[in-house]
Amino acid sequence: MPNDDDQQVSSIRFLSHAPRNGRRSQHGTPTHPFGEELLVLQQIGILPTILSRLIQQALRNGTTVEQEFLTCDYMTAQDYYARLADLLDLPFMENLPTQQIFDSEFLDSQLAQPAIIRLYDKTRPPVTVIAPEARRLPAIQARLRQSPEFAASLAIATPKTIADAAWKVGAKRRAEAASAQLFHASPQHSARTVLTARQAFFAGLLIALACFGTVTATQATWIGIHTLLSLLYMGTLWFRSLLLFQNVRKPPAPPLLLSASTCLPTYTVLVAIYRESAIVPQLIGAMRQLNWPASRLDIKLVCEEDDAETLAALNAITLPSHFEIVLTPALGPRTKPKALTYALAGARGDYLVIYDAEDRPHPDQLKEAYAHFIMAPPEVACLQAPLIIANVADNWISSLFALEYAALFRGILPSLSHYKMPLPLGGTSNHFRTDILRKIGAWDPYNVTEDADLGLRLYRAGYRCETLMRPTLEDAPTSAHIWIGQRSRWFKGWLQTWLVLMRHPRAAWNTMGGKAFLVFQLLIGGMLISALLHPTILVFLGMTLYAMLDKPTTDIPLRETIMFWIDLMNILGSYLVFLALGSAAMTEGERKHIGWRAATIPIYWLMTSRAAWKAMIELKTKPFFWNKTPHMPTQQVAA
């Protein structure tokens, strides 16, 4: 049997946050659907002209007048709830003493829909703090008139105050859960274990054989190694060539559109921001440009609690009411996926999108994503928007980075989506059905390319990813040092993703299907092989050429001739397909910035190889280290 305190909390929860219903007359027939809240808003002094506009917005957006009022910046939430407290003759609390709040599973419900929280003090009876909805105020007033002593146990606070207290009180528990939930629920899908015992055995055996072969290798051994590596390299080249032909044949479809009368759901936007104080104003401006009703937006800026510089920059700006700063405790791996998984507990939206701090998404991207979701079958759980490099003209590194991004996001991924293959997602502009994201365990906090891992995990769980048309603008690194740091993190994450999937190859084949399994090997495995082997193929090409020049033409063995042409095709083909895939997906304005810089593709590929080998070393020495890529604000727009 519940005690009196439990009954009281249940009663107040009903009064403060009940499902919406219209006001009723004496005979029980509905009158104005916003009757109660309009009466309350009039009592606190809101002008009829403003109320009329808010009613229209509420009817259009499927919200309440109060929700529209709180997002129109006519009055701060502090002032509004203080006036509600005056109407109820209850105390208003600007801050809550967190030491008087017990951590429990109930607290998690107050992150997404903050309405009620309980304070316990040894010196007095418990106090229930509520953030009442205007339409429930008449019922609360009636309850207080019936039980005047009830008022002694009540207080008013803003939803933000309640949510902030709930975040703070349960921070350690949630941070530990965010770090360990995937590992505990599905250890076979977590990169927390870098190598299984079986994988470690085979890796050690391979290294031992390589060392033994290097020392004792005969000419036949070297010929065999040369042939095997060249054919592996060629396989990845042919796969990319097929994707190029598919991309050329299939023109992109126009973006889906919503009708003007469509009632939009709540959309959560998560932005993990770390040591990015300089870019804060640009970020806030980009988020303000999203073409979505503010009353239906839930924008969470996820920051590390010890990142004082970024927090100071955010606190210097008056954020709109639909923005929230979520502080991530310094527990577990200091990675973006850990921060995102931590913040997911407070997501209010039926749909959710991830952006990076430097992103400038197309204002209508959310609308295209929602239109795509409602037209797509339910197994489509994620949509990837294309990422376009805005600073393509800065230097040769940013130009070739833009070429690479164009190939991936406007060529390869749409082709894979067309054939219903698994997509290695980009780290930003991923749109999700929130319930499915939670169901599969969200992001792996130990995988440093959590996006690629999540795309594969969704596919193995029976879901699919598709692509959008409206882009997100980003800036590429312009220095080799920063580029290699970023790219080595990507390679390390792709290695983690490959190792996780290959713990049980037969099970992966069965869950994905043979075709998807082979595509994964060619895409992720091929990307790793081509980067790691590129210098080796160059060396083989040079050795073969030297051997051929050292002999008369008539004495050159057929094997050497064949391997020479294979290696030459591998190298030149890699450069040409890289250029063709990117150029085919670019606009004319983007292509004009490539020009002579295409001649630096061999250098770019050698940098890629260096980053791949750096990733191999880091996988052993610091597998979960997140190499942060710094960003600066920009006004550039891709042509």
Side-chain angles (χ1 to χ4, degrees):
M1 294 291 291
N3 57 31
D4 292 342
D5 281 352
D6 292 334
Q7 292 175 341
Q8 189 181 61
V9 169
S10 298
S11 174
I12 293 300
R13 189 184 304 173
F14 168 76
L15 293 173
S16 63
H17 199 75
R20 175 178 172 178
N21 51 35
R23 190 180 182 187
R24 295 179 178 272
S25 68
Q26 293 179 349
H27 304 289
T29 56
T31 58
H32 199 290
F34 305 120
E36 289 91 346
E37 55 184 322
L38 287 177
L39 179 62
V40 170
L41 291 171
Q42 287 171 346
Q43 287 178 318
I44 65 173
I46 308 305
L47 298 176
T49 53
I50 294 176
L51 290 177
S52 176
R53 175 168 53 85
L54 295 175
I55 289 171
Q56 294 175 4
Q57 292 176 352
L59 291 172
R60 182 173 62 250
N61 297 331
T63 57
T64 66
V65 175
E66 183 181 43
Q67 285 175 299
E68 297 298 331
F69 174 73
L70 288 171
T71 54
C72 73
D73 297 328
Y74 179 81
M75 180 185 294
T76 66
Q78 289 282 108
D79 289 341
Y80 175 71
Y81 283 95
R83 295 192 187 189
L84 293 188
D86 289 340
L87 285 179
L88 295 171
D89 197 21
L90 293 174
F92 175 70
M93 303 186 71
E94 294 187 7
N95 297 289
L96 299 182
T98 54
Q99 70 275 12
Q100 295 181 18
I101 302 172
F102 292 157
D103 185 22
S104 67
E105 295 295 330
F106 166 71
L107 270 184
D108 293 350
S109 67
Q110 300 307 297
L111 303 178
Q113 298 292 340
I116 180 171
I117 205 164
R118 193 86 154 152
L119 302 179
Y120 295 90
D121 192 324
K122 295 180 180 179
T123 63
R124 61 178 184 178
V127 174
T128 302
V129 182
I130 61 174
E133 293 182 337
R135 62 177 180 259
R136 307 306 304 171
L137 242 64
I140 297 175
Q141 289 171 325
R143 178 76 170 86
L144 291 172
R145 284 194 298 269
Q146 292 172 2
S147 304
E149 68 280 1
F150 197 36
S153 65
L154 286 181
I156 304 293
T158 68
K160 182 181 184 302
T161 299
I162 292 175
D164 287 348
W167 278 114
K168 186 173 182 180
V169 171
K172 181 178 179 181
R173 170 176 57 83
R174 291 188 204 97
E176 291 173 346
S179 300
Q181 66 181 20
L182 181 65
F183 178 75
H184 289 156
S186 302
Q188 72 276 16
H189 293 146
S190 172
R192 180 171 168 177
T193 301
V194 179
L195 289 171
T196 63
R198 185 178 181 182
Q199 288 176 323
F201 170 78
F202 282 110
L205 180 62
L206 185 63
I207 292 172
L209 288 174
C211 293
F212 178 78
T214 301
V215 174
T216 63
T218 63
Q219 184 179 8
T221 303
W222 282 112
I223 291 172
I225 292 173
H226 182 183
T227 303
L228 176 63
L229 295 182
S230 295
L231 291 177
L232 284 174
Y233 197 101
M234 180 181 285
T236 67
L237 173 61
W238 279 108
F239 177 67
R240 288 177 173 266
S241 300
L242 290 174
L243 290 175
L244 171 62
F245 293 133
Q246 161 62 25
N247 187 45
V248 170
R249 289 202 321 268
K250 184 177 179 295
L256 296 173
L257 301 175
L258 290 171
S259 67
S261 60
T262 302
C263 187
L264 301 176
T266 300
Y267 219 113
T268 291
V269 178
L270 294 185
V271 184
I273 177 170
Y274 181 55
R275 295 181 180 174
E276 300 274 19
S277 57
I279 214 164
V280 163
Q282 175 180 289
L283 167 63
I284 303 304
M287 295 300 101
R288 283 177 176 270
Q289 293 297 315
L290 293 174
N291 186 11
W292 200 268
S295 57
R296 289 295 198 181
L297 267 181
D298 169 35
I299 299 177
K300 287 179 165 53
L301 309 176
V302 190
C303 305
E304 297 290 331
E305 64 179 2
D306 56 0
D307 186 4
E309 189 176 349
T310 300
L311 290 173
L314 287 169
N315 291 326
I317 299 175
T318 302
L319 294 175
S321 59
H322 56 287
F323 282 68
E324 180 183 11
I325 299 173
V326 177
L327 301 181
T328 306
L331 295 172
R334 299 293 290 267
T335 61
K336 173 184 169 183
K338 194 285 292 284
L340 294 176
T341 301
Y342 179 84
L344 181 62
R348 293 193 294 111
D350 299 319
Y351 301 92
L352 179 148
V353 62
I354 306 302
Y355 289 125
D356 284 342
E358 75 277 12
D359 287 353
R360 285 91 72 198
H362 190 288
D364 289 329
Q365 191 182 107
L366 269 59
K367 287 192 172 181
E368 183 193 353
Y370 180 53
H372 198 119
F373 273 128
I374 60 179
M375 295 293 292
E379 67 267 19
V380 176
C382 176
L383 302 172
Q384 173 69 65
L387 306 182
I388 294 180
I389 297 303
N391 63 333
V392 58
D394 278 8
N395 65 7
W396 69 275
I397 293 178
S398 65
S399 292
L400 297 190
F401 197 107
L403 192 72
E404 191 174 13
Y405 258 36
L408 178 62
F409 290 102
R410 288 178 273 173
I412 295 174
L413 295 188
S415 296
L416 294 175
S417 172
H418 175 72
Y419 288 108
K420 300 182 180 180
M421 292 290 103
L423 265 65
L425 300 171
T428 175
S429 304
N430 316 138
H431 298 253
F432 298 97
R433 299 186 196 267
T434 309
D435 58 340
I436 295 177
L437 181 61
R438 288 190 169 114
K439 180 180 177 181
I440 67 162
W443 299 270
D444 183 353
Y446 292 93
N447 192 310
V448 296
T449 53
E450 76 295 338
D451 38 20
D453 166 74
L454 189 55
L456 269 295
R457 196 149 32 92
L458 281 167
Y459 194 88
R460 295 183 70 182
Y463 300 104
R464 288 194 297 108
C465 304
E466 294 185 347
T467 56
L468 300 173
M469 290 296 297
R470 291 192 168 101
T472 295
L473 297 183
E474 281 197 339
D475 290 329
T478 54
S479 77
H481 174 72
I482 294 174
W483 185 95
I484 288 174
Q486 182 189 65
R487 191 56 58 97
S488 65
R489 172 171 59 81
W490 292 359
F491 275 117
K492 183 168 62 176
W494 292 330
L495 278 164
Q496 289 176 312
T497 301
W498 187 85
L499 287 169
V500 165
L501 190 100
M502 292 301 290
R503 288 171 181 174
H504 305 287
R506 184 177 298 176
W509 178 287
N510 292 335
T511 56
M512 297 175 66
K515 185 185 292 185
F517 182 84
L518 292 175
V519 166
F520 166 78
Q521 298 296 340
L522 288 169
L523 190 65
I524 300 297
M527 189 186 307
L528 295 169
I529 287 173
S530 61
L532 292 169
L533 294 185
H534 190 73
T536 306
I537 300 300
L538 285 173
V539 170
F540 282 145
L541 179 64
M543 291 172 61
T544 305
L545 181 62
Y546 176 80
M548 292 173 67
L549 293 175
D550 197 42
K551 301 174 182 177
T553 305
T554 55
D555 294 340
I556 298 175
L558 179 62
R559 181 201 61 79
E560 289 188 4
T561 303
I562 293 173
M563 293 309 301
F564 171 77
W565 286 108
I566 288 177
D567 290 340
L568 186 63
M569 183 177 66
N570 279 341
I571 295 299
L572 295 181
S574 296
Y575 300 157
L576 292 174
V577 170
F578 177 86
L579 178 62
L581 263 174
S583 297
M586 279 181 156
T587 65
E588 185 61 36
E590 290 174 299
R591 281 194 291 268
K592 72 180 182 181
H593 294 301
I594 304 299
W596 64 267
R597 292 167 176 170
T600 62
I601 288 177
I603 301 173
Y604 192 83
W605 271 66
L606 287 173
M607 286 171 56
T608 299
S609 186
R610 178 184 172 187
W613 283 104
K614 183 173 184 286
M616 291 284 287
I617 296 170
E618 283 192 358
L619 189 68
K620 170 63 178 175
T621 58
K622 41 185 180 181
F624 313 126
F625 171 68
W626 188 277
N627 198 320
K628 179 75 177 67
T629 304
H631 299 100
M632 293 300 293
T634 181
Q635 298 299 321
Q636 290 177 284
V637 178

